[in-house]
């Protein structure tokens, strides 16, 4: 059951001109959050902008006693709302509703987990990676960006015991090319008898490629889709994605039926972008 | 304090109704909103058959508003009564079913199905959805069409019949009158304003459906005016809709002439808005010594046009 | 880069026009805006006679918009040509005179007075002011009225005649067509939306005139849709108006089908907006390799309704 | 000629729960400002709220060399915009257009100047008082509020060599009752041959009373009227006030024909509020 918290900004760490990590005091949300869930944040009071924006829960913050105290968001500036979040200073308050949506289900050993992140699609994987590590699942993050300077928080994952495999489109750091090509390369090296579960989040073309790779190698794959959302609660039907339902195409609400979907259910050829 | 209001024979605990299309089938909100605490819940517009609606993008934000072109995705009235109505009854929600037809017969058919089931408090006739080609707004933009749909549904049901009017007309009050003459129990107004937004870099519409409906605070002043105009012309209860986001907004519509109101877009922004609105209404009543909220309806004071001293 | 646009025989240096009623008689801004740098200046609506307009309060802010009920306070057309026109000519402003009459004859009479004077570039027919009882919108809300006013003015002047349409109608495109058939050289749209706001504590309207006209960014998506609709139906140049506050907004209207645009409310917020808009248009043209801004008009791409794969 | 400055907030001094003094860096406006002129301030970026708000120039701030560097505003929280100004922190920026409007004309000795302020109507009088003092005019401020705690910046006036006469409605400080009654009392004690020029700013009923007192004692009186303004430049005709023009009532724009008017020209019976 989601709650709406008038959350104080604990800190706002600018990672670059575009990226920042906003830490919010929100114990009630932190206590309930599961990997891959999201929150709806109102970037400013008043009607400009009017609607809330969806953000993955990047970290669950804990107090000294280990109790959940807040969450952080990995925010990428792309428009009005994300700019307002980027500009937030500690002490400011933002309304934050969550946790929302269908979470990732972490797999157990002996299955291995491969998380595939493109750009800000990194956001849901820290909590997932920690959950996987906690249950002893061997976990790798494949993380791609355009250039080396657009790779963030890698150490944060390494500290969580997650193997990290980087790619950049220009080859500036890690493997050169798309992250999904790297995944495919690794799958080539992996005996088909060894269970590997893929999780992907990033730009739609990347997720589509990940889904295709997963399908052709017969690997299960969960994707976290990014649709424009009006309410986050199933009320408005704005956030739909096309899925196959008994071989019939059907629109499902990504805010409550997702954002995490089994990649094989998505009708990729019909997905926006 | 008495917050109850009457729509014909129907008594609502308070004037707040969740607007159709903005609250799913109600059941989505059952965990976070006590459905029985609302005046009523208007569920998402239903056709007879299931519909998939328009492809995304289905919404886009605009200044103090949003456009939507959902295209009435829905499970159809039969699945609704089978799958959703029982839970709504269990939660003691007062259910307004918003219905849409491609033909007059379809409206009648849906109304008949609904009348056969316990738990429907009223039928709201969506003759004003700007996002679909067939039916709906075709009736809502013609006086004879409006009259015909209302009459047809009136004939087949004893449930209160509440046509929902479109603001995309020259004289909304004449539509309210047509609805009244055809036997409606109330009118809801307004539905969304037909509008569009274009991405100037791709030069393509921002909605897959090209045009969509504008809702939210941006439209409130127009909607209030329309309620006020209808109030002059009909005696029917009016359900005011459009951009309501605070108790003051509720009161503005009531003072203009609304008996009850619906809240849509603002409940996206704040799904917990309902208790805040009720609190705000109680505060206002206390401050102004009002016992029965219903007494506020239509009390706009236009008597003294101050300083009408310099003639215009 | 060529920013010029043509309205019939009239060539404007750029598509930006100061909207009537939002820029006084132009002369008020002569010190801070180079009037000759604007495509044109539409001066405040003029009757034949002087008028005092409505008592204050005349404006009230609403979400992303404002209501006004000025009531066409003005000095009348004769004082205008005597007292304001000379300075406007001196400043080399392209002057659109916005006129309003209580009768068709009055429109003709004003047009005749204006035609006798050098320095008037076009006559904009205000048949859409929602704030006055007599004349104006009475013509603008009837197809025959619109046709009659335009024809009458057409007969008495060689100046370009540009009726300004009201958005408070069911089918604005039919009014554009009526204007075209009556010999108009272009149409301006939209004027303001009839609206109101109420002070819930006093229960009195916030405007002395009770109702007023909604303008500003709030209405932009509706206005863009109306321009788009008219573009399908008439060949006349369209002057797009409603909530424009940035170069992207200008482009949105042009892509929807406007040849030029007017900026009103946003120039209250930023009286220096004009150079910013021109800079923004140039940046866009450079980015997209556009040489002639006029080529943008009507280039909306509705060809590919992506994923029309699931039928609605 | 007014200019539009994207002014940095130098400081924001809260005087109470409702009042603050916002100091803005705006040399170009400060250099041109005359007593009684105003600025149009945009309380926030974006469209909520949409319009600018008019504020009297409270102080002209000078740098160490004495050059005009900025202005301050005496802001009273009454709604959305004034609340946003109240909440501004140093370093924030607000668009500020000015100086605007017809200024007060300071009288010269031997005439004496009596400034009559009600509430936030105090704002235009510091610059006027300083201008009067500078030309050696004997200057008194009559300043009324409801209670003692609502009287602000009195020492600021005293330091400028202005005699201050306070009233409160509850008698908590200074004379008890309305400020205009105090003015009337002083006029009773002043021989009619001694020239006194009245300047008034405050709630409309107060200014109306001041105008009535001035008229009955045959004293000239200038008032600074507060109308809702759309543009501040004469473009919109929203800000009109009813004046007598050759015994004919007429609406004049208070942004360019005012905000300062000869009180005897105003058709008080027709003025809003
Ligand atoms: C479940 C979910 C989780 C998300 N998690 C994160 C996250 O952790 N970090 C992060 O930075 N972003 C995340 N996003 C994307 C984020 O919500 C959008 O970037 C944001 O809403 C844009 O708001 P804006 O006001 O800055 O952009 P606007 O000014 O509204 O639009 C700018 C551009 O962004 C596009 N856009 C707007 N909303 C969305 C959206 N919901 N999804 C994709 N594109 C959009 C617009 O079409 C436009 O092109 C997530 C989205 C979803 C649905
Ligand atoms: C020339 C001039 C100089 C002014 N100088 C100052 C000053 O130095 N300090 C100061 O605090 N205020 C001053 N004001 C008043 C100030 O402009 C208003 O208080 C402000 O615009 C209210 O904005 P808001 O968003 O807070 O209120 P809103 O939320 O817009 O409205 C709140 C209430 O204030 C009323 N109101 C709104 N605008 C005005 C207005 N322009 N005049 C009177 N009442 C209004 C509304 O009717 C409403 O009742 C001045 C006004 C004028 C015209
Ligand atoms: C996403 C969305 C979907 C809607 N669907 C319907 C609908 O199915 N039937 C209907 O009558 N109105 C529908 N509406 C209109 C609303 O019920 C309401 O009339 C309108 O949004 C104005 O109210 P608001 O400004 O409070 O949102 C929809 C509105 C939105 C925003
Ligand atoms: C204060 C005000 C006065 C107006 N006066 C006139 C007028 O005299 N004649 C006219 O045709 N339109 C008038 N309008 C309408 C504008 O010209 C314009 O059509 C409308 O404001 C929408 O544009 P905007 O959103 O850019 O303001 C007025 C608008 C405002 C806000
Ligand atoms: S965002 Fe409203 S239904 Fe998903
Ligand atoms: S505020 Fe616009 S004319 Fe005075």
């Amino acid at each position: 059951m989601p709650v709406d918290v008038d959350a104080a900004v604990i800190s706002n760490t600018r990672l670059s001109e575009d990226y920042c990590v906003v830490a919010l005091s929100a114990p009630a949300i932190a206590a309930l959050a599961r990997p891959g869930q999201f929150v709806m944040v109102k970037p400013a009071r008043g009607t400009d902008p009017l609607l809330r924006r969806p953000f993955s829960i990047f970290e669950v913050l804990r107090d000294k006693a280990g109790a959940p105290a807040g969450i952080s968001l990995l925010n990428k500036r792309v428009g009005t709302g994300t700019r307002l979040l980027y500009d937030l200073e500690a002490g400011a308050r933002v309304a934050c509703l969550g946790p929302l949506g269908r979470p990732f289900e972490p797999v157990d050993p002996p299955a291995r987990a491969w998380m595939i992140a493109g750009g800000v699609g990194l956001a849901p994987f820290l909590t997932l990676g920690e959950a996987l590590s906690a249950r002893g699942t061997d976990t790798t993050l494949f993380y791609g960006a355009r250039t080396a300077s657009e790779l963030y928080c890698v150490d944060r994952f390494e500290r969580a015991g997650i193997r990290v495999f980087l790619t950049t489109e220009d080859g500036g750091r890690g493997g050169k090319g798309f992250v999904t090509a790297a995944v495919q390369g690794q799958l080539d090296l992996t005996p088909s008898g060894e269970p590997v579960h893929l999780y992907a989040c990033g730009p739609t073309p990347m997720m589509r490629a990940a889904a295709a790779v997963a399908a052709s190698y017969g690997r299960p794959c969960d994707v976290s889709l990014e649709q424009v959302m009006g309410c986050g609660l199933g009320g408005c039907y704005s956030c739909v994605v096309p899925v196959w339902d008994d071989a019939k195409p059907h629109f499902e609400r990504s805010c409550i039926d997702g954002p995490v979907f089994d990649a094989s259910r998505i009708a990729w050829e019909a997905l926006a972008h | 304090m008495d917050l109850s209001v009457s729509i014909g024979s129907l008594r609502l605990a308070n004037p707040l109704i969740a607007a159709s299309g903005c609250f799913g089938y109600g059941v989505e909100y059952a965990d976070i909103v006590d459905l029985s605490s609302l005046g009523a819940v208007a569920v998402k517009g239903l056709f007879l058959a299931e519909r998939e609606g328009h492809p995304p993008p289905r919404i886009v934000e605009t200044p103090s508003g949003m456009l939507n072109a959902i295209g009435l995705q829905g499970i159809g009235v039969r699945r609704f009564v089978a799958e959703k109505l029982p839970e709504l009854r269990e939660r003691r929600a007062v259910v307004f079913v918003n219905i849409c037809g491609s033909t007059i017969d379809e409206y009648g058919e849906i109304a008949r199905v609904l009348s056969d089931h316990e738990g429907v408090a009223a039928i709201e006739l969506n003759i004003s959805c700007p996002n679909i080609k067939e039916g709906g707004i075709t009736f809502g933009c013609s006086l004879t069409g409006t009259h015909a749909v209302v009459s047809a549904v009136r004939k087949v049901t004893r449930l209160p019949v509440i046509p929902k009017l479109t603001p995309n007309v020259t004289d909304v009050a004449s539509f309210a009158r047509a609805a009244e003459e055809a036997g409606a129990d109330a009118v809801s107004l307004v539905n969304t304003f037909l509008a569009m937004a274009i991405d100037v870099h791709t030069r393509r519409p921002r909605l897959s459906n090209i045009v969509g409906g504008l809702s939210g605070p941006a439209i409130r002043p127009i909607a209030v005016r329309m309620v006020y105009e209808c109030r002059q012309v009909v005696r029917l209860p009016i359900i005011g809709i459009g951009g309501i986001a605070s108790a003051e907004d509720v009161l503005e519509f009531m003072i203009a002439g609304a008996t009850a109101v619906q809240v849509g877009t603002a409940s996206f922004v704040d799904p917990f808005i309902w208790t805040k609105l009720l609190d705000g209404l109680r505060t206002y009543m206390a401050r102004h010594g009002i016992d029965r909220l219903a007494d506020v309806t239509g009390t706009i004071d236009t008597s003294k046009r101050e300083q009408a001293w310099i003639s215009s």
Side-chain angles (χ1 to χ4, degrees), chain A, chain B:
Chain A
M1 203 186 99
V3 289
D4 192 18
V5 177
D6 186 31
V9 176
I10 301 167
S11 64
N12 189 355
T13 313
R14 277 75 174 198
L15 307 175
S16 67
E17 289 286 291
D18 295 323
Y19 279 73
C20 66
V21 176
V22 187
L24 299 173
S25 173
I29 296 176
L32 298 169
R34 292 171 59 194
Q37 285 193 302
F38 67 97
V39 291
M40 292 289 284
V41 177
K42 181 96 172 71
R45 280 168 215 284
T47 64
D48 183 22
L50 180 65
L51 298 173
R52 296 190 188 221
R53 271 53 177 163
F55 289 90
S56 298
I57 295 170
F58 181 51
E59 298 166 294
V60 171
L61 309 170
R62 293 176 182 280
D63 63 17
K64 281 179 201 125
I71 59 170
S72 78
L73 313 176
L74 177 66
N75 173 57
K76 180 184 177 188
R77 225 159 63 153
V78 300
T80 321
T82 47
R83 169 181 303 265
L84 285 162
L85 289 188
Y86 186 90
D87 290 343
L88 281 180
E89 300 295 346
R93 287 183 171 271
V94 285
C96 181
L97 172 75
L100 299 167
R102 209 178 139 243
F104 281 121
E105 294 301 338
V107 290
D108 290 303
R112 283 187 286 158
W114 292 7
M115 308 186 296
I116 314 169
V120 75
L122 183 70
F125 287 133
L126 193 54
T127 53
L128 176 62
E130 286 172 347
L132 287 160
S133 291
R135 51 181 74 205
T137 304
D138 180 285
T139 303
T140 306
L141 170 72
F142 294 82
Y143 174 25
R146 278 189 309 145
T147 64
S149 66
E150 290 167 46
L151 291 167
Y152 302 98
C153 303
V154 172
D155 56 326
R156 201 62 193 72
F157 282 81
E158 287 166 343
R159 267 187 281 142
I162 296 160
R163 193 179 306 110
V164 179
F165 197 112
L166 303 175
T167 64
T168 48
E169 289 177 32
D170 65 357
R173 188 171 170 200
K176 181 171 156 71
F178 288 123
V179 66
T180 43
V183 171
Q184 181 161 9
Q186 290 300 307
L187 281 174
D188 282 333
L189 305 173
T190 309
S192 62
E194 284 181 23
V196 174
H197 195 100
L198 306 184
Y199 301 92
C201 185
T204 301
M206 185 219 93
M207 286 194 279
R208 185 175 182 176
V213 169
S216 67
Y217 288 78
R219 304 297 192 172
C221 179
D222 289 315
V223 290
S224 178
L225 299 178
E226 271 200 15
Q227 290 300 102
V228 174
M229 289 186 178
C231 69
L233 289 165
C236 71
Y237 281 76
S238 65
C239 60
V240 296
V241 292
V243 297
W244 296 112
D245 203 14
D246 298 333
K248 252 189 23 226
H250 175 56
F251 282 129
E252 280 190 5
R253 287 167 285 183
S254 67
C255 64
I256 55 173
D257 299 324
V260 173
F261 289 90
D262 177 342
S264 68
R265 290 189 64 224
I266 302 297
W268 292 100
E269 55 280 39
L271 192 62
H273 305 292
Chain B
M1 278 184 202
D2 179 2
L3 275 76
S4 70
V5 299
S6 298
I7 308 277
S9 57
L10 203 63
R11 198 174 182 79
L12 309 181
N14 62 64
L16 306 183
I17 303 171
S20 177
C22 303
F23 206 66
Y25 297 110
V27 294
E28 291 87 344
Y29 287 82
D31 280 349
I32 63 167
V33 177
D34 172 2
L35 299 183
S36 73
S37 73
L38 301 188
V41 170
V43 299
K44 198 167 166 42
L46 290 167
F47 273 83
L48 199 54
E50 289 183 44
R51 286 170 63 92
E52 286 299 334
H54 299 312
R58 288 178 166 187
I59 62 168
V60 57
E61 209 173 319
T62 65
S64 298
M66 60 176 280
L67 309 186
N68 88 79
I70 309 297
L72 287 166
Q73 176 170 2
I75 58 174
V77 70
R78 295 212 173 79
R79 277 186 60 197
F80 170 77
V81 294
E83 298 171 20
K84 310 292 177 186
L85 197 52
E87 180 174 350
L88 290 168
R89 288 189 63 189
E90 209 170 281
R91 304 267 182 182
R92 289 181 297 119
V94 176
V95 179
F96 285 18
V97 183
N98 182 278
I99 70 170
C100 199
S102 306
T103 61
I104 292 184
D105 285 350
E106 188 176 351
Y107 279 99
E109 178 63 22
I110 302 172
R112 233 177 267 116
V113 174
L114 291 171
S115 306
D116 286 347
H117 288 82
E118 288 292 318
V120 177
I123 297 178
E124 186 173 58
L125 302 179
N126 184 352
I127 50 172
S128 45
C129 178
N131 297 324
I132 52 162
K133 279 193 207 68
E134 72 283 22
I137 205 163
T138 332
F139 302 117
C141 283
S142 118
L143 289 172
T144 50
T146 299
H147 193 282
V149 174
V150 176
S151 307
V153 175
R154 177 73 297 159
K155 279 198 202 91
V156 300
T157 187
R158 290 218 174 111
L159 290 171
V161 175
I162 308 175
K164 181 163 172 180
L165 305 184
T166 173
N168 300 295
V169 295
T170 311
D171 178 18
V172 70
S174 62
F175 287 82
R177 195 170 35 217
E180 185 168 52
E181 286 166 1
D185 297 277
V187 285
S188 296
L189 55 118
V190 299
N191 208 316
T192 54
F193 289 76
L194 192 62
M196 78 189 289
I198 302 168
D199 181 323
V200 298
H201 297 295
T202 63
R203 302 198 199 169
R204 292 174 51 200
R206 287 190 187 273
L207 295 172
S208 78
N209 188 50
I210 305 177
V211 295
L214 178 63
S215 65
I219 67 170
R220 191 171 62 232
I222 317 181
V224 170
R225 182 264 297 178
M226 290 185 168
V227 167
Y228 172 72
E229 279 180 357
C230 289
R231 179 75 295 152
Q232 321 297 306
V233 169
V234 296
R235 302 182 58 93
L236 284 181
I238 296 169
I239 301 173
I241 320 170
I244 295 174
S246 72
E248 299 216 340
D249 301 340
V250 174
L251 290 159
E252 195 177 2
F253 275 91
M254 293 185 76
I255 292 166
T259 297
V261 299
Q262 295 185 13
V263 180
T265 303
S267 72
F268 299 159
V269 181
D270 182 2
F272 298 98
I273 195 169
W274 311 102
T275 48
K276 294 170 198 167
L277 295 179
L278 289 172
D279 287 349
L281 292 174
R282 286 197 196 92
T283 305
Y284 177 86
M285 291 169 72
R287 173 166 165 193
H288 291 277
I290 296 163
D291 291 330
R292 288 170 23 100
L293 184 56
D295 292 341
V296 167
T297 294
T299 55
I300 184 169
D301 170 10
T302 54
S303 59
K304 115 163 116 144
R305 274 194 50 179
E306 247 188 338
Q307 325 118 0
W309 160 89
I310 296 189
S311 70
S312 58

